[in-house]
Amino acid sequence: LAEEAGDWELMLEALTWQLFDLLGAADMPAVRATLEYHSRLAGELRQPFYHYTGMSFRATLALLEGRFD
């Protein structure tokens, strides 16, 4: 609905919660795809909080995959 309404900030909020749900369900391909979409929108919107949430999820994925560097 947020996407249909063109409310990109609400869309990013929804994607953030979707990332939590997908991570909890261990659907890693969906996490990666959603994270890429989230990152694209965050870049367009230029809101620091959404850059932070995207980077936090990227760090979480790195930890889960054993990429500690």
Side-chain angles (χ1 to χ4, degrees), residues 52-68:
Y52 157 77
T53 57
M55 291 304 294
S56 294
F57 272 98
R58 288 189 188 288
T60 299
L61 285 178
L63 290 171
L64 291 172
E65 294 169 351
R67 293 182 288 118
F68 301 114

Side-chain angles (χ1 to χ4, degrees), residues 3-66:
E3 189 172 27
E4 289 176 16
D7 188 337
W8 301 116
E9 192 162 349
L10 185 58
M11 181 67 185
L12 280 165
E13 183 71 24
L15 286 171
T16 300
W17 286 108
Q18 185 177 26
L19 283 166
F20 280 110
D21 292 340
L22 293 169
L23 191 60
D27 188 347
M28 302 317 279
V31 169
R32 286 183 187 84
T34 303
L35 185 54
E36 287 306 313
Y37 186 38
H38 180 282
S39 296
R40 258 193 330 264
L41 288 178
E44 292 174 17
L45 201 59
R46 296 182 181 185
Q47 290 290 333
F49 178 74
Y50 298 112
H51 285 289
Y52 157 77
T53 57
M55 291 304 294
S56 294
F57 272 98
R58 288 189 188 288
T60 299
L61 285 178
L63 290 171
L64 291 172
E65 294 169 351

